[in-house]
Amino acid sequence: MAIAGAGFTGMWTAYYLHKADPTLRIALCERDIAGYGASGRNGGWCSALFPASLSKLQRMTDRAGAIAMQTAMYKTVDEVSRVVAAEGIDCHWARGGTVMLARSAIQLERAKEEIAEAREFGFGEENLRLLTAAEATEMAAATEVAGGTYTPHCAAIHPARLARGLAEVLRRKGIALYERTEVLEIQPGRLVTRLGTVRARYVIRALEGYTPRLRGLQRAIAPVYSLMIATERLPESVWEQIGLAERPTFGDFRHLIIYGQRTADGRFAFGGRGAPYHFGSAVRPSFDRVPVVFAELRRTLAELFPVLGEVAITHTWGGPIGVARDWCASVGLDRETGVGWAGGYVGDGVSTTNLAGRTLSDLITGTDSDIVRLPWVGHRSPDWEPEPLRWLGLNGGLRVMATADHAEDRTGRPSRAARFMGRFLGG
Ligand SMILES: Cc1cc2nc3c(=O)[nH]c(=O)nc-3n(C[C@H](O)[C@H](O)[C@H](O)COP(=O)(O)OP(=O)(O)OC[C@H]3O[C@@H](n4cnc5c(N)ncnc54)[C@H](O)[C@@H]3O)c2cc1C
C-alpha cells in the first residue's frame, strides 16, 4: 500500500488498513510533515456534516442512500471519539454539539428549511432541533439572535493535536510514514517521489487541496481558502457573557460561512471563507494570510460578541480546502489499476476523512460492509472548467455570497443571486 499525503485521509486509511491486516506493508509519503495541510489547521469541528444536502444525495441515488449517508456521518463522530480514547490521543475532545444561530428573519427561515429537510428524511429532534431565540442565546449569547438550531453530533477538537497524535499512533504500529517526501506522480502500481519510487499493489491519492499540482489532476479539485483567527485567552468573566459553556461549535445561517469554537485553553478560534481562489488552482503558503479577510473576521466576531471588540488577536492562519466541481465529496478504488482516492470534502473533512479511511480499507481488503455501498463511494465528480472560467466562476461566486449577506441585511429579503450562484456552483 502506498498513500500520497499524510493528512487525515491518508492517516485514517493507513490506520484502518493496518487494523484490518497488520501484515500489510504500508508507506505514507508526505511532502511536508504529517498534518501540514488542512488537517492540522482547521476549525476543529468534528461534525456529521457532509458537503451535499440530503436532497442532493437523494437526487444522486435515492432516499435510502441519502439516509444511509447521513446516518454513517452521525456514527463517524462516535467512531472518531472511540479511536481518540482508545489510542490516548489528547486532542481536547469536547462533545458539545453545534449551535447554529439565526440572526435575522431570513436566516430563521433557512434554519426552519433545514429542520424541515431533516424531518422529511426521518431525522428527529434528537438529531437536529429548532431553538427559540432564548434557547439559542443561552448557548451562544450573540447579538440579534432570532433563533437557531442545535445538533449533538459534533465535537470541538484541537486539529493539530489530532493530526500529530494520529501520526504518532501510526509510527507506534510500525507503519512507514515518510515526511519531506514529495510525490511527483501517481501511477498504477507506483508513487513516483522526489526521493525514489514506491511500488505497491494499491496506490491512494489523499492530497485534497493540493491535488491539482499533480500532472493530469489540474481540474479534479479546486483549492479554495478558508482563514482563521484566534483571540488571546479570555477570562471566565468574558466567557460568562458569551456562553459556549459546553464548548459547542458555533456558526450562523449567512451565505458566506463562518465557524467558531471555544478552545480548551479559553480562546475564541473563529474562521470563515472569503479569501480569493487563485488562478490555475495555485496553492502557496503566502495565500494562507490575507489581512483584509483577517480584519473582516475580527469585525464580524466583534459584531457577534461586542465584548470581544478590544481583545487581542494572537494567531492568524489559513489553508486550502478541496472543492469538487459538483460540490460532493467522493471516495473510491479502481479495482483494475489499484488506484484509489478520497477528497472534495469542502470544509467538512475532519470526520468525513475517517469514513473515507474506513471505506478505502474495506474496498482494498474486499470487505463487504454497509459503508462501501454509500452514495459517495465510486462517485465521479466532473472536472472543473479550464481557466480563466474556473477563476471567474469561483471568485464571482464568493463575491456574490459576500454581497448577498450585506444585501439581505439591508433589504430584509432573501438574495436571488445567492440562490442562483449556489445552483451554478453545484452547492
Ligand atoms: C482553515 C480551515 C478550517 C477548516 N475547518 C474545518 C472544520 O472545522 N471541520 C471540518 O470538518 N473540516 C474543516 N476544514 C476542512 C478539513 O480540514 C479538511 O477537509 C481535511 O483536513 C482534509 O484532509 P485531507 O487529509 O484530505 O487533506 P489535507 O489535510 O490537506 O492533507 C493533504 C496532505 O498532502 C500533503 N501533500 C501535498 N502535496 C503533496 C505531494 N505532492 N506529495 C506528498 N504529499 C503532499 C500535504 O502536505 C498535506 O499534508 C477546514 C479547513 C481549513 C483550511
Side-chain angles (χ1 to χ4, degrees):
M1 279 294 317
I3 301 171
F8 288 146
T9 299
M11 290 195 282
W12 282 126
T13 305
Y15 179 84
Y16 288 104
L17 273 167
H18 175 83
K19 190 171 166 222
D21 181 356
T23 65
L24 273 177
R25 292 181 65 204
I26 305 169
L28 273 126
C29 298
E30 162 59 47
R31 198 188 60 141
D32 285 271
I33 59 162
Y36 167 83
S39 299
R41 38 177 145 152
N42 56 67
W45 289 39
C46 185
S47 75
L49 295 170
F50 185 77
S53 67
L54 286 163
S55 310
K56 182 169 168 173
L57 285 166
Q58 175 168 256
R59 285 196 299 277
M60 277 167 57
T61 50
D62 54 19
R63 182 180 154 79
I67 293 170
M69 188 76 225
Q70 186 59 68
T71 308
M73 288 303 304
Y74 290 151
K75 288 185 183 161
T76 297
V77 180
D78 298 335
E79 171 63 9
V80 179
S81 166
R82 190 193 64 73
V83 177
V84 160
E87 301 291 355
I89 301 173
D90 178 13
C91 63
H92 298 171
W93 181 272
R95 180 75 179 255
T98 297
V99 55
M100 290 288 289
L101 301 176
R103 295 180 60 250
S104 65
I106 298 171
Q107 289 194 17
L108 189 57
E109 273 317 300
R110 271 183 225 130
K112 288 179 180 165
E113 281 169 21
E114 208 172 287
I115 298 278
E117 188 184 50
R119 297 293 177 272
E120 211 181 299
F121 285 85
F123 296 107
E125 293 256 306
E126 68 287 8
N127 295 306
L128 186 69
R129 68 185 163 94
L130 195 65
L131 301 175
T132 62
E135 286 169 332
T137 307
E138 201 183 319
M139 286 188 188
T143 52
E144 296 177 50
V145 174
T149 63
Y150 177 76
T151 173
H153 299 292
C154 186
I157 62 156
H158 187 312
R161 281 173 162 265
L162 178 57
R164 299 305 295 168
L166 260 180
E168 196 44 49
V169 169
L170 298 186
R171 287 211 167 96
R172 240 178 18 226
K173 293 183 187 295
I175 295 167
L177 169 53
Y178 299 108
E179 296 183 313
R180 313 267 182 226
T181 304
E182 183 178 6
V183 173
L184 301 175
E185 219 173 305
I186 299 177
Q187 298 172 353
R190 51 197 224 136
L191 277 191
V192 181
T193 82
R194 211 170 267 291
L195 305 174
T197 299
V198 185
R199 288 174 203 288
R201 167 73 186 93
Y202 295 105
V203 172
I204 303 298
R205 161 164 67 83
L207 300 171
E208 191 60 338
Y210 304 88
T211 306
R213 285 175 168 178
L214 263 66
R215 199 184 307 153
L217 295 168
Q218 283 85 354
R219 290 165 55 195
I221 290 276
V224 172
Y225 276 78
S226 202
L227 268 53
M228 295 196 67
I229 59 176
T231 66
E232 61 186 309
R233 288 178 189 189
L234 304 171
E236 204 41 51
S237 56
V238 171
W239 282 116
E240 272 161 23
Q241 295 176 62
I242 295 173
L244 302 178
E246 308 297 322
R247 293 186 59 211
T249 56
F250 140 92
D252 70 11
F253 281 92
R254 73 185 68 199
H255 292 290
L256 202 64
I257 287 172
I258 55 154
Y259 49 90
Q261 71 149 294
R262 174 179 182 168
T263 66
D265 65 349
R267 300 169 193 273
F268 209 123
F270 185 67
R273 310 258 168 89
Y277 159 82
H278 295 275
F279 195 86
S281 293
V283 174
R284 286 194 204 118
S286 58
F287 300 161
D288 297 346
R289 289 171 202 282
V290 185
V292 290
V293 176
F294 292 141
E296 184 60 20
L297 285 171
R298 195 198 164 114
R299 197 195 58 72
T300 305
L301 188 60
E303 183 191 294
L304 286 158
F305 303 103
V307 66
L308 297 178
E310 299 299 318
V311 305
I313 301 298
T314 53
H315 300 74
T316 55
W317 72 96
I321 58 176
V323 183
R325 179 61 183 88
D326 59 359
W327 237 258
C328 188
S330 65
V331 55
L333 175 73
D334 182 330
R335 291 229 148 267
E336 232 159 78
T337 60
V339 177
W341 81 93
Y345 312 106
V346 192
D348 300 327
V350 171
S351 52
T352 320
T353 48
N354 174 280
L355 184 58
R358 282 184 284 140
T359 306
L360 280 168
S361 169
D362 284 355
L363 289 172
I364 288 165
T365 56
T367 308
D368 184 24
S369 61
D370 289 345
I371 59 172
V372 299
R373 283 189 287 276
L374 292 172
W376 73 320
V377 180
H379 171 74
R380 300 272 186 178
S381 300
D383 275 352
W384 278 95
E385 288 78 357
E387 297 293 19
L389 292 177
R390 187 156 77 243
W391 184 87
L392 287 168
L394 277 163
N395 284 324
L398 288 167
R399 181 62 63 89
V400 166
M401 294 303 178
T403 51
D405 286 321
H406 291 304
E408 285 186 356
D409 288 347
R410 232 184 18 254
T411 64
R413 283 200 305 273
S415 160
R416 273 192 293 198
R419 247 177 215 274
F420 169 77
M421 198 41 105
R423 272 202 300 271
F424 166 73
L425 288 170

